Amino acid sequence: MKLPIGRMTRMLWACLVFALLAASSGARAQAEAAPFKPEELEALVAPIALYPDSVLSQALMASTYPLEVVQAARWLKANPTLKGEAAVKAVANQSWDVSVKSLVAFPQVLEPMNDQLDWTKKLGDAVLAQQKDVLAAVQRLRAKAQDSGNLKTTEQQTVVVEQAETKIIRIEPTNPQVIYVPAYEPAVVYGGWGYPAYPPYYWPPYPAYYPGYAFGAGLAWGLGFAAAGAIFGNCNWGGGDINIDVNRATNIDRNFDRNKGQGGKWNHDSSHRQGVSYRDNATREKFGKNSAGAGQRNDFRGREGAGDRAGTSDRRAGGDRAGGAGDRPGASDRAGASDRGLSGDRGGSGDLGGRGGAGRDNAFNGVHQGGGAAQRNVDRGRGSMQSSGASRGSMGGGGGRGGGGRGGRR
């Protein structure tokens, strides 16, 4: 059945207006991304605030390169016999950022960052936009853990308290050659949680690295790793930024550009972002101009090994992890910035660590969606209108739907 030309025109205009509104809404949502609140930042850093300063700093850096985190986690699963510094040496020629390479020495850090990719990307967004506030949130949580009696010097770590203008708590390995990374339940070690609207992120420790961990316990130490050669970063608590040792970074990554670590200060390298969108306009203006585009994302989405669904949200009810959580043999490979957004909310049921669905965004929301997709819809609607003017007599009902009705789908 053919539709009247007038009705056809109205439908096309409606599609065009809808696409323009969607583009405007998407751009406005990105432009108006509000800064993270102090309590929101504490919820973000809660699972890692008690890491040794060096490991913490390198995890913060790596969180700004979420797709490379996924790649490194894949490599780790494919090379389970390589540990500590041996693993770091084995990835020397990989194209990843030095921070990501360093984390192959700490699988108990890298694997959760891969499995909890929503959290990783949001943490990276916070580091890029509010680095000083992120470090301040870590210090507040350390003070709470210390006041609760859960942060103290042990055979695995040394806790140093400095009283300057403000109290600073440093955490260092007791033995610099063997590094332990604790696991814990935030609601316990911090003496309760005072922000019901922002409960802390949490996932049970992986049994492969923390055997015998009891739910609700304090700090669990698990396995220590001989990984002194993987350390190149630290937290500059007084300056509110992240420092790096350029010489150590070069030992880890032979391709490391020393110019990017001038003055010992870490600088985000957008070339390792691989097209993942930045959260707000200020960050996008600062870093986005040189970030890799969709071509690299497409290369990344190449199916590397059936069965790996890296980057999905945590689906472990009790945290049991035999041979690597999140690994779903036989499933198609969905790692990377896929069209489905990687670790979407799924109505809150698949959210991280049992947190509610409020305020959640997809891990890579905006990589393929938002203003760009809406603009394509606009172009489709415009093309359809021009086509209708050239061949009004031949355009039937199916043609009208093809030009406008499906413009909103990809």
Side-chain angles (χ1 to χ4, degrees):
M1 182 183 67
K2 294 184 178 180
L3 295 176
I5 295 300
R7 183 178 179 186
M8 178 76 65
T9 302
R10 288 194 297 273
M11 289 174 61
L12 292 174
W13 273 112
C15 290
L16 180 60
V17 170
F18 177 81
L20 289 171
L21 288 175
S24 174
S25 176
R28 187 168 57 253
Q30 287 187 335
E32 297 175 357
F36 291 99
K37 300 177 182 178
E39 55 269 33
E40 190 175 5
L41 290 174
E42 289 188 30
L44 271 174
V45 300
I48 61 175
L50 303 186
Y51 282 5
D53 289 8
S54 55
V55 178
L56 170 66
S57 69
Q58 289 167 211
L60 293 177
M61 288 184 262
S63 69
T64 67
Y65 312 114
L67 291 189
E68 293 192 345
V69 165
V70 173
Q71 291 174 321
R74 283 178 173 176
W75 182 93
L76 201 63
K77 288 181 180 180
N79 298 274
T81 60
L82 292 173
K83 307 289 185 183
E85 292 185 32
V88 175
K89 291 179 180 178
V91 299
N93 289 323
Q94 296 289 342
S95 61
W96 318 323
D97 184 77
V98 61
S99 63
V100 177
K101 290 182 179 181
S102 73
L103 291 187
V104 299
F106 305 101
Q108 71 274 53
V109 178
L110 179 61
E111 291 190 26
M113 290 181 72
N114 169 65
D115 294 339
Q116 309 293 338
L117 204 56
D118 300 39
W119 168 79
T120 298
K121 183 179 183 296
K122 183 169 282 189
L123 177 65
D125 290 338
V127 171
L128 292 174
Q130 297 171 246
Q131 190 174 140
K132 186 174 183 178
D133 295 338
V134 168
L135 294 179
V138 169
Q139 283 296 322
R140 291 195 298 272
L141 289 179
R142 288 184 174 185
K144 291 178 183 180
Q146 188 180 53
D147 292 344
S148 300
N150 293 312
L151 179 60
K152 49 194 173 185
T153 295
T154 66
E155 61 179 301
Q156 293 88 5
Q157 70 179 12
T158 298
V159 178
V160 179
V161 179
E162 298 178 357
Q163 295 287 354
E165 294 183 4
T166 58
K167 179 180 178 181
I168 294 175
I169 301 176
R170 303 182 186 275
I171 302 177
E172 303 169 354
T174 298
N175 178 0
Q177 300 304 314
V178 182
I179 300 174
Y180 291 85
V181 179
Y184 49 87
E185 185 179 0
V188 173
V189 299
Y190 299 125
W193 194 258
Y195 314 119
Y198 296 99
Y201 285 83
Y202 170 70
W203 43 89
Y206 296 167
Y209 309 119
Y210 300 93
Y213 175 79
F215 180 80
L219 271 64
W221 290 108
L223 306 176
F225 288 86
I231 297 302
F232 75 99
N234 214 327
C235 298
N236 179 16
W237 299 112
D241 54 38
I242 298 170
N243 285 356
I244 62 172
D245 185 318
V246 172
N247 293 327
R248 284 176 169 266
T250 305
N251 288 336
I252 297 170
D253 182 359
R254 64 192 63 177
N255 298 315
F256 180 75
D257 184 355
R258 289 173 172 269
N259 294 324
K260 295 178 180 176
Q262 290 183 347
K265 180 180 293 188
W266 170 71
N267 291 294
H268 172 71
D269 185 349
S270 60
S271 68
H272 290 280
R273 187 73 173 180
Q274 297 205 29
V276 177
S277 63
Y278 290 100
R279 178 175 180 265
D280 55 79
N281 274 342
T283 308
R284 192 178 308 109
E285 284 295 316
K286 185 175 182 180
F287 302 112
K289 294 179 180 179
N290 298 320
S291 61
Q296 286 179 292
R297 293 197 302 270
N298 292 335
D299 291 342
F300 174 79
R301 288 202 300 268
R303 301 312 194 233
E304 297 179 14
D308 187 8
R309 287 193 62 179
T312 55
S313 57
D314 191 3
R315 295 180 175 88
R316 296 172 288 107
D320 196 356
R321 183 181 176 82
D327 195 27
R328 298 188 55 181
S332 61
D333 183 352
R334 298 186 184 178
S338 67
D339 291 343
R340 296 181 184 174
L342 262 182
S343 337
D345 277 351
R346 304 173 189 269
S349 62
D351 213 354
L352 308 180
R355 293 195 65 187
R360 280 289 178 271
D361 56 359
N362 292 336
F364 294 144
N365 185 29
V367 174
H368 292 293
Q369 304 298 328
Q375 184 60 50
R376 289 193 294 274
N377 295 342
V378 173
D379 295 338
R380 289 172 185 163
R382 185 182 296 114
S384 297
M385 291 180 63
Q386 294 170 348
S387 175
S388 66
S391 54
R392 297 174 187 269
S394 60
M395 182 178 291
R401 288 192 297 271
R406 295 185 185 177
R409 302 194 179 196
R410 299 189 61 221

